[in-house]
Amino acid sequence: MSQNAFQLGVSPYNAVAEKWSKVLLKNLRVTGVFRHIGVDHSSELAANADSLHLRIVDDTAINVGEYYTRSEDPQVAGNEGSIVYADAKVNKHTLQLTESPYAAVGFEDYALKFSDVNFQAEIIEGAKHKIARQLDTMIMDAIIAAAQTLTDTPEFDATAAGEGDMYDLLLQISAKLKEEGAITLANPSDLFGDKGMKGVPYVVVNPATMRYILKEPAFVKVDFTDKNAMWKAGTVRGTIAGLMVLESSNLPTVANYVNVFAGVKEATHYAIKTVTTRMMPAEDKFRMLWSTLYAAGVLVTQPKALVKVRVKVSNA
């Protein structure tokens, strides 16, 4: 029995299973782009819950108007208006855990007893990436399905674009988000002294699209040497047109085209929970079977804050 198993007071097989479960769930939060494009509600889930009720404030139920109208004649008093109150509104949504990704691996019994930390780390890393890819795909598919198409340029041919054309496309996307109110033009901290904007608008591309963005002089790469940088993950490549550029290898190119999408994090919500993790011996061999099961769900609450465009990235 390993030293860690003695300390945990459990059998070595269960100790390893428990350790992997905790490390895997922790590492999921630092893998993929989904943590940048959606609000994580995992910590709000009850132990046996398969859904979560969200309450989203509807700021359209706030009246803003002119109260006092000044007279053109400075000697004449102006007119006072009246205050019209709107009813405060909170939209209720249900985030349902509809997906159930799992990871499983089997290995010889002696491998557990004689393996070092590197062996376990490789297994954790492999499981982490496979589940993260499924979660990435799940959340991106939900966003693409809900996002509005860029009206002025529903389709863009990057293969025939010149310098500045990709930048102009991203400027159109940024402008559309501003028109829809997804990006506030003025920082709230300028008015109220608070902590400023909650979210940064993003755009998600795949490597085939990223190579065209890298050619744009307006693209600003992330400085990964800055220890205090806001973005440290390799999936965040930089900024352009006021958008945070995220690169995902899980965003597919289909028949030379890819669905590039943009938005704000607060438009999408997701939750992930561990259902079970187990390790058990095979019936007829000296072999251990390890598996872990998750439940996950995604919900788009503000589709107007999401924009997509079909981009041609290849002539193959």
Side-chain angles (χ1 to χ4, degrees):
M1 185 180 288
S2 68
Q3 182 177 355
N4 286 337
F6 274 124
Q7 293 175 348
L8 291 172
V10 293
S11 69
Y13 300 141
N14 292 334
V16 173
E18 182 178 346
K19 176 183 177 181
W20 284 355
S21 177
K22 291 180 179 179
V23 174
L24 182 58
L25 187 58
K26 179 180 178 181
N27 287 350
L28 279 176
R29 298 192 179 99
V30 295
T31 304
V33 301
F34 62 86
R35 64 195 174 97
H36 295 290
I37 62 178
V39 180
D40 186 359
H41 295 274
S42 303
S43 61
E44 302 170 33
L45 286 168
N48 298 320
D50 63 353
S51 63
L52 181 68
H53 298 293
L54 304 179
R55 293 165 60 86
I56 309 296
V57 174
D58 187 346
D59 59 6
T60 61
I62 301 174
N63 282 343
V64 177
E66 186 69 27
Y67 177 70
Y68 187 83
T69 305
R70 293 186 179 275
S71 171
E72 295 181 0
D73 186 347
Q75 303 300 321
V76 179
N79 298 319
E80 289 188 359
S82 59
I83 301 175
V84 179
Y85 291 91
D87 293 329
K89 185 178 180 181
V90 176
N91 296 324
K92 297 180 181 179
H93 303 272
T94 300
L95 174 55
Q96 192 78 32
L97 303 184
T98 58
E99 306 299 317
S100 53
Y102 76 91
V105 63
F107 40 84
E108 299 304 320
D109 201 9
Y110 71 84
L112 271 180
K113 296 182 179 180
F114 299 103
S115 64
D116 57 17
V117 176
N118 291 332
F119 176 81
Q120 297 180 13
E122 289 179 9
I123 295 177
I124 293 172
E125 193 71 16
K128 177 189 70 173
H129 282 293
K130 286 183 178 296
I131 294 181
R133 287 177 69 90
Q134 286 197 41
L135 294 171
D136 248 6
T137 300
M138 175 192 74
I139 294 174
M140 289 193 295
D141 284 350
I143 292 176
I144 292 172
Q148 58 181 323
T149 300
L150 187 63
T151 307
D152 295 337
T153 311
E155 190 170 298
F156 178 79
D157 187 354
T159 64
E163 182 177 308
D165 290 343
M166 177 64 76
Y167 179 47
D168 183 67
L169 174 69
L170 296 171
L171 283 173
Q172 290 182 51
I173 292 174
S174 181
K176 182 63 177 177
L177 292 174
K178 290 176 182 177
E179 290 171 4
E180 295 292 345
I183 303 177
T184 307
L185 297 178
N187 194 323
S189 62
D190 296 337
L191 301 174
F192 305 111
D194 59 16
K195 296 182 180 179
M197 300 298 289
K198 289 184 178 180
V200 177
Y202 66 80
V203 60
V204 177
V205 301
N206 65 358
T209 313
M210 191 68 219
R211 64 191 181 102
Y212 294 102
I213 295 178
L214 288 170
K215 297 177 183 179
E216 292 291 350
F219 177 68
V220 179
K221 294 182 179 180
V222 170
D223 181 9
F224 291 106
T225 63
D226 181 7
K227 294 182 179 179
N228 297 317
M230 179 177 178
W231 308 307
K232 296 181 179 180
T235 53
V236 183
R237 300 300 303 274
T239 61
I240 187 171
L243 302 170
M244 174 175 66
V245 181
L246 303 173
E247 182 180 11
S248 174
S249 59
N250 299 324
L251 189 62
T253 298
V254 180
N256 301 329
Y257 284 86
V258 58
N259 284 313
V260 171
F261 64 93
V264 292
K265 185 175 182 178
E266 291 76 10
T268 307
H269 305 262
Y270 69 89
I272 307 164
K273 68 181 294 186
T274 305
V275 177
T276 184
T277 298
R278 62 184 185 179
M279 183 174 287
M280 58 185 182
E283 292 184 0
D284 58 346
K285 295 182 181 298
F286 291 108
R287 194 167 187 261
M288 297 304 299
L289 305 176
W290 173 81
S291 60
T292 184
L293 176 65
Y294 290 86
V298 59
L299 175 69
V300 173
T301 58
Q302 301 179 57
K304 71 174 185 178
L306 303 168
V307 179
K308 63 185 175 185
V309 59
R310 194 163 177 259
V311 178
K312 185 179 182 182
V313 294
S314 173
N315 291 312

